């Protein structure tokens, strides 16, 4: 089974703090994604990565950055957290080839609250 | 623009009944569709997928139907159980081989005992 893990289930930070959200997958997947999920807005793509050291902006990259130094790990960084970044953050990964190329497997999510 | 939508925000069914959750998609170039289940406080969990060269695919208690003519996708859950209570999302891959998915807003399934 594919396993995607996220470093924290719940996180509380203060405005202006730098926040790191870590995601690790154990299936040697090439593609990794960061989403945020808010009531009424569904899943919105923040950033994604096709390979190590590669990143692409998603639909809402403002206020976020990412890092992919190793294939299995994709980090989301909030340089200076703001209250409007309070949300559920979801990481996902997918392989590049085969029948299930586009199936994204999700982690359990990190519920971030910025005070 | 591209969008994937679900017809009903909430569906309430009696335990033991069959459930049908619907989804409309707008991008005729999409050739891959997925249904996810998300329980409260958890990440979305893959349920079943279907390629556009198929009309129907069955899993354990679940069936996905694809009608390309009207761009409609449905998820059928047989003998619905309390553990099926969750939010269900459909997703499509859109045009181009980007690896990205377009997600619907989700339908909340409530199972009454």
């Amino acid at each position: 089974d594919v396993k995607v893990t996220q470093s924290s289930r719940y996180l509380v930070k203060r405005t202006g703090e730098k926040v790191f959200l870590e995601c690790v997958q154990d299936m040697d997947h090439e593609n990794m994604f960061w989403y945020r999920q808010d009531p009424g807005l569904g899943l919105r793509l923040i950033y994604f990565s096709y390979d190590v050291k590669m990143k692409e902006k998603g639909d809402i990259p403002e206020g976020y950055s990412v890092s992919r130094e190793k294939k299995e790990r994709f980090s989301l960084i909030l340089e200076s957290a703001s209250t409007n970044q309070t949300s559920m953050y979801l990481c996902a990964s997918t392989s590049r080839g085969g029948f299930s190329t586009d199936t994204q497997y999700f982690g359990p999510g990190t519920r971030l609250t910025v005070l | 623009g591209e969008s994937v939508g679900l017809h009903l925000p909430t569906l309430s069914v009696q335990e033991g009944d069959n459930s049908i959750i619907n989804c409309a998609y707008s991008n005729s170039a999409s050739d891959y569709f997925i249904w996810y289940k998300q329980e409260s406080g958890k990440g979305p969990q893959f349920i079943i997928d279907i390629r556009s060269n198929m009309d129907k695919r069955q899993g354990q208690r679940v069936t996905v139907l694809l009608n390309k003519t009207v761009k409609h996708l449905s998820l059928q859950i047989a003998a619905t159980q309390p553990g099926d209570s969750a939010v269900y999302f459909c997703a499509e891959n859109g045009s181009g081989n980007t690896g990205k998915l377009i997600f619907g807003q989700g339908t909340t399934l409530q199972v009454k005992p």
Side-chain angles (χ1 to χ4, degrees):
Chain A
D1 281 350
V2 175
K3 189 152 188 187
V4 181
T5 57
Q6 294 182 228
S7 51
S8 305
R9 292 299 307 276
Y10 300 94
L11 210 52
V12 179
K13 295 292 182 180
R14 297 212 172 271
T15 301
E17 280 192 82
K18 190 169 186 175
V19 182
F20 292 88
L21 302 182
E22 303 282 338
C23 175
V24 178
Q25 48 91 7
D26 66 356
M27 286 303 293
D28 201 36
H29 283 171
E30 291 83 6
N31 303 334
M32 296 187 75
F33 305 80
W34 273 107
Y35 297 89
R36 63 178 284 176
Q37 185 178 35
D38 302 286
L41 298 176
L43 284 161
R44 293 183 290 168
L45 181 63
I46 304 171
Y47 266 98
F48 59 104
S49 169
Y50 288 129
D51 206 343
V52 175
K53 296 193 184 296
M54 295 186 69
K55 60 184 179 183
E56 296 282 342
K57 292 181 179 179
D59 301 318
I60 52 163
E62 296 78 19
Y64 303 94
S65 62
V66 289
S67 172
R68 189 142 181 228
E69 297 296 318
K70 294 184 178 181
K71 190 175 185 180
E72 68 271 18
R73 189 180 297 268
F74 192 34
S75 303
L76 180 70
I77 303 155
L78 287 66
E79 294 290 341
S80 178
S82 63
T83 55
N84 63 12
Q85 292 179 309
T86 292
S87 185
M88 170 72 119
Y89 289 88
L90 290 161
C91 175
S93 73
T94 182
S95 63
R96 190 173 290 160
F99 178 81
S100 297
T101 299
D102 301 324
T103 303
Q104 289 185 17
Y105 297 92
F106 285 85
T110 296
R111 173 75 63 185
L112 173 67
T113 301
V114 183
L115 303 175
Chain B
E2 295 180 332
S3 67
V4 179
L6 290 150
H7 293 313
L8 291 173
T10 303
L11 176 66
S12 186
V13 299
Q14 204 70 39
E15 181 179 356
D17 287 351
N18 296 335
S19 303
I20 300 176
I21 301 171
N22 295 306
C23 179
Y25 66 94
S26 62
N27 191 333
S28 56
S30 291
D31 62 3
Y32 181 65
F33 306 87
I34 308 170
W35 279 102
Y36 288 94
K37 172 187 179 183
Q38 187 175 21
E39 296 174 275
S40 181
K42 297 183 179 179
Q45 177 186 3
F46 170 84
I47 302 174
I48 193 167
D49 58 4
I50 189 167
R51 292 274 173 192
S52 59
N53 60 352
M54 302 174 70
D55 297 321
K56 179 179 179 178
R57 193 164 189 226
Q58 287 184 293
Q60 188 176 13
R61 282 200 309 118
V62 295
T63 300
V64 55
L65 298 176
L66 176 62
N67 186 330
K68 295 180 286 293
T69 303
V70 294
K71 290 187 282 190
H72 184 268
L73 191 68
S74 68
L75 177 70
Q76 299 179 358
I77 304 173
T80 312
Q81 302 169 358
D84 295 327
S85 294
V87 177
Y88 290 82
F89 297 92
C90 61
E92 61 176 316
N93 64 341
S95 53
N97 187 23
T98 64
K100 293 193 289 183
L101 292 174
I102 305 163
F103 293 90
Q105 290 294 311
T107 290
T108 300
L109 177 65
Q110 297 174 340
V111 182
K112 297 178 287 186

